[in-house]
Amino acid sequence: MSSLSRELVFLILQFLDEEKFKETVHKLEQESGFYFNMKYFEDEVINGNWDEVERYLGGFTKVDDNRYSMKIFFEIRKQKYLEALDKHDRSKAVEILVKDLKVFASFNEELFKEITQLLTLENFRENEQLSKYGDTKSARAIMLVELKKLIEANPLFRDKLQFPNLKSSRLRTLINQSLNWQHQLCKNPRPNPDIKTLFVDHSCGQPNGARAPSPANNPLLGSIPKPGGFPQLGAHGPFQPAPTPVAPLAGWMSNPPAVTHPAVSGGAIGFAAMLKHPRTPSAANPSMDYPSGDSDHVSKRPRPVGLSEEVNLPVNMMPVTYPQSHSYPQDDFHKAVARTLSQGSAPMSMDFHPVQQTLLLVGTNVGDIGLWDVGTKERLVVRNFKVWELGKCSMALQAALVKDPTVSVNRIIWSPDGTLFGKMS
């Protein structure tokens, strides 16, 4: 079995355990032979479930594999034999002797004869070596200590006693990433796809019902280009790593990542259809059941007050996540300018509000921040940049600031030596 197939078994084991399929978990542990669950083994020994003890062990070793394995099986069968004698169940003891213990006669015939002679005693504790045998519970506990030492020393159990360190719900995370990837490949991706099966690949049908803004209901954007530029899946199946981080699906995971938009340079903002896929959120989403193992992909940049970067969706909806950057053919972009907004300084970054998609946040090369309503061309908020103690700044920064005297935003600026230059208001 390949390394990836082996790891897949561990993911399934984690999933079964999280879903409380206890019997199935241990059956898969035994059949795969990848992980020996010592806690489960201890419980079965203490409870005297000897058939299950041997069945579980059989997935990892056989009686004649090595001397450690032989000793493990001998101690278990000897304990089962002594318990039958202690209950004065002679027929059961004879059955164990013939079916379970006779196999050891070829390795140590004298020991087997001594065990057989215990049948002739009214109380096997009359045998000097068994005189300190206590009750069943204490005898099992003492034997278990010996068994654990033998298992840990047995080379066949090497690397099988420790479960891999996995983030919770790892299999769910991978399925979530796969669904997001499939959705990115859709020709007509819906903003809130309702994915109801994992049996076949997801594919959005022809759009209908509620959908993202289109030329019919958003005159600013014009026609939305067809998605393109997504690389095809590799030839190695589902174990190929995803080329771009994807967001968790609602109901499976949490923390959908923010989507940033490309920077634009120039003194005025030429606003055409700069987004291939405007985000369309839905209703508020309750807390998620499963934490994401890949939440580190979420953008760490600061968020302006009142402009949330998270889009919450209902539990039965799947959030649409698009790669944060793509190379689109030049012909895909609109060339007609729909709005011209005069910011005053050269814009360096722009970001649309995830809910109110006509709100545009603009940052400039000199630190100005502006909030625009692109529908009305109204600038709602403006904050300028103001520098304290200009003389302590670098010459390049001083020259840039002198060229544009409109600077007046208060933002905290620190020099390499820790000097405070400015402050954001």
Side-chain angles (χ1 to χ4, degrees):
M1 183 176 286
S2 69
S3 174
L4 288 178
S5 296
R6 177 186 173 92
E7 290 182 3
L8 179 59
V9 172
F10 281 108
L11 296 180
I12 296 171
L13 285 172
Q14 182 196 47
F15 173 79
L16 292 173
D17 183 65
E18 290 174 343
E19 296 298 310
K20 311 301 181 186
F21 293 108
K22 296 301 183 183
E23 292 184 10
T24 309
V25 167
H26 302 312
K27 187 65 176 176
L28 181 55
E29 290 168 352
Q30 174 220 325
E31 289 191 342
S32 66
F34 291 159
Y35 173 62
F36 185 83
N37 191 325
M38 186 67 81
K39 179 64 171 61
Y40 174 69
F41 180 75
E42 292 175 7
D43 291 342
E44 294 304 298
V45 169
I46 293 298
N47 293 328
N49 298 327
W50 304 120
D51 290 343
E52 176 59 20
V53 167
E54 289 211 25
R55 186 162 42 245
Y56 191 72
L57 268 175
F60 302 88
T61 185
K62 298 295 183 286
V63 174
D64 56 353
D65 279 343
N66 56 46
R67 62 190 181 92
Y68 298 102
S69 298
M70 184 176 296
K71 178 68 171 172
I72 290 170
F73 280 97
F74 176 76
E75 290 297 328
I76 292 171
R77 295 175 182 182
K78 182 185 74 173
Q79 179 62 29
K80 183 165 61 169
Y81 176 66
L82 293 178
E83 288 184 16
L85 290 176
D86 206 23
K87 295 176 182 177
H88 302 288
D89 190 345
R90 302 287 178 179
S91 60
K92 181 66 175 177
V94 171
E95 180 184 346
I96 296 170
L97 185 67
V98 174
K99 291 184 177 181
D100 297 334
L101 289 171
K102 191 172 183 179
V103 67
F104 300 104
S106 58
F107 301 101
N108 193 330
E109 189 174 353
E110 289 300 319
L111 178 60
F112 180 72
K113 288 180 179 179
E114 187 174 353
I115 291 174
T116 304
Q117 290 174 359
L118 296 178
L119 288 169
T120 64
L121 302 176
E122 182 65 25
N123 186 338
F124 63 81
R125 293 174 181 80
E126 296 174 15
N127 182 291
E128 183 179 353
Q129 296 182 34
L130 299 173
S131 59
K132 295 183 179 180
Y133 184 94
D135 58 14
T136 298
K137 184 177 180 180
S138 61
R140 289 176 182 174
I142 293 171
M143 178 192 66
L144 183 58
V145 173
E146 181 67 16
L147 291 180
K148 290 175 66 175
K149 292 179 181 178
L150 291 169
I151 290 171
E152 290 170 357
N154 194 330
L156 294 177
F157 289 83
R158 189 170 299 143
D159 301 326
K160 296 181 179 181
L161 300 177
Q162 187 69 36
F163 197 85
N165 185 21
L166 304 175
K167 293 183 179 180
S168 62
S169 304
R170 178 59 183 160
L171 184 58
R172 289 179 178 274
T173 300
L174 294 176
I175 293 175
N176 164 72
Q177 292 172 345
S178 172
L179 292 175
N180 275 280
W181 173 254
Q182 292 170 20
H183 187 65
Q184 289 172 7
L185 299 178
C186 291
K187 293 183 178 179
N188 298 292
R190 297 183 181 180
N192 299 318
D194 188 9
I195 301 177
K196 296 180 178 179
T197 181
L198 300 177
F199 292 163
V200 296
D201 287 350
H202 163 70
S203 178
C204 289
Q206 289 300 318
N208 56 62
R211 52 179 303 195
S214 64
N217 52 32
N218 193 338
L220 295 178
L221 293 180
S223 61
I224 298 177
K226 292 182 180 180
F230 296 108
Q232 295 298 318
L233 287 172
H236 300 291
F239 299 110
Q240 281 288 97
T244 55
V246 292
L249 297 178
W252 284 69
M253 298 291 162
S254 59
N255 300 327
V259 179
T260 57
H261 304 289
V264 178
S265 61
I269 304 167
F271 177 72
M274 290 172 290
L275 296 181
K276 293 192 76 70
H277 306 293
R279 292 169 295 178
T280 302
S282 181
N285 184 20
S287 59
M288 302 300 174
D289 294 331
Y290 299 96
S292 171
D294 298 291
S295 58
D296 291 339
H297 295 309
V298 179
S299 174
K300 298 296 190 298
R301 63 181 177 79
R303 293 169 179 164
V305 176
L307 298 185
S308 171
E309 282 294 331
E310 295 187 0
V311 180
N312 293 324
L313 302 174
V315 172
N316 63 342
M317 293 293 190
M318 305 295 185
V320 182
T321 305
Y322 299 101
Q324 296 194 3
S325 63
H326 284 296
S327 298
Y328 294 104
Q330 260 190 333
D331 292 341
D332 280 358
F333 290 98
H334 290 265
K335 297 178 174 59
V337 176
R339 291 286 186 274
T340 300
L341 309 175
S342 180
Q343 178 66 23
S345 301
M348 298 301 292
S349 64
M350 298 192 300
D351 202 358
F352 284 92
H353 193 283
V355 177
Q356 301 180 44
Q357 294 185 357
T358 61
L359 293 184
L360 178 66
L361 185 66
V362 181
T364 73
N365 63 331
V366 293
D368 294 355
I369 298 174
L371 182 63
W372 292 82
D373 186 328
V374 296
T376 62
K377 297 199 296 184
E378 179 185 0
R379 183 160 61 179
L380 306 176
V381 178
V382 62
R383 293 289 185 272
N384 297 322
F385 192 79
K386 182 178 181 180
V387 176
W388 297 343
E389 301 187 42
L390 185 61
K392 292 187 178 181
C393 298
S394 67
M395 296 304 295
L397 178 58
Q398 290 185 46
L401 294 176
V402 168
K403 287 180 182 178
D404 194 333
T406 63
V407 179
S408 90
V409 165
N410 295 325
R411 173 183 293 173
I412 294 179
I413 302 291
W414 298 91
S415 69
D417 62 358
T419 306
L420 179 64
F421 285 158
K423 175 183 177 183
M424 174 76 81
S425 59

